[in-house]
Amino acid sequence: MTVRPIRIYGDPVLRTPADPVTDFDASLREIVRDLEETVREPGRAGVAGPQIGVSLRVFSYNVAGQVGHMVNPVLSDFEGEQEDEEGCLSLPGLGYSTKRAMSVTATGFDQYGEPLVLHGTGFLARALQHETDHLDGRLYIDTLTGDVRRQALRELRRVVPR
């Protein structure tokens, strides 16, 4: 197992939709082990494949002491709304109030290809949405609007030189 370095804003892998996983093999299990080891670092709630340079639809999460992963996630059953500060390991030092669904269902697979369903509310729902966005080549700053978006983009140019 390896704690992998996090790719930072400006790396093209973060803006490229990840490929679906088709082979549930030893290579995937190694990626999952690395994702789970990487997300165990203090202050981390989730890490997606692209954030460690792997363009596959897989992420790990670490919420309320529960570490897990999901392969090829599909989100559904969005209910309610929450707004709270959100940050991202790939956008170091930034955090902005971001709207997300209060609850969501993620359907996908585990590292062995077995079906997996996660029902998340609150912070887990936020993490599931955030990590799935990464797999689609989106960052949380893409959800911001108006003055907050302009402020975030200005700050991003200041703290993450391209």
Side-chain angles (χ1 to χ4, degrees):
M1 292 188 291
T2 302
V3 174
R4 298 223 198 157
I6 300 295
R7 300 293 178 101
I8 301 300
Y9 180 80
D11 189 317
V13 73
L14 297 172
R15 291 302 200 171
T16 305
D19 297 321
V21 171
T22 56
D23 296 320
F24 292 81
D25 57 9
S27 176
L28 175 64
R29 288 188 291 282
E30 182 179 346
I31 292 166
V32 168
R33 280 192 302 273
D34 288 353
L35 281 167
E36 289 186 350
E37 188 70 16
T38 301
V39 82
R40 282 186 170 93
E41 290 289 294
R44 296 182 175 180
V47 177
Q51 289 183 284
I52 61 168
V54 176
S55 191
L56 289 175
R57 293 188 68 79
V58 56
F59 67 75
S60 61
Y61 61 91
N62 183 358
V63 176
Q66 179 184 346
V67 174
H69 69 277
M70 183 168 276
V71 178
N72 294 338
V74 175
L75 300 182
S76 63
D77 303 328
F78 297 87
E79 293 184 15
E81 186 177 277
Q82 60 175 307
E83 186 167 354
D84 203 355
E85 185 161 305
E86 194 163 320
C88 180
L89 298 170
S90 295
L91 302 166
L94 300 181
Y96 293 94
S97 185
T98 306
K99 290 182 183 179
R100 297 283 188 180
M102 178 57 81
S103 68
V104 67
T105 299
T107 306
F109 301 92
D110 70 11
Q111 63 187 321
Y112 301 103
E114 295 297 319
L116 183 62
V117 177
L118 291 171
H119 303 285
T121 59
F123 191 71
L124 179 56
R126 179 175 293 279
L128 294 172
Q129 292 167 84
H130 182 108
E131 298 312 321
T132 301
D133 277 351
H134 275 299
L135 303 180
D136 294 330
R138 289 191 310 261
L139 300 171
Y140 84 95
I141 58 169
D142 299 331
T143 69
L144 304 176
T145 59
D147 289 339
V148 173
R149 181 172 173 77
R150 283 187 288 282
Q151 177 188 354
L153 294 175
R154 271 194 310 274
E155 186 67 12
L156 188 58
R157 283 189 295 274
R158 187 183 72 73
V159 298
V160 184
R162 295 178 98 184

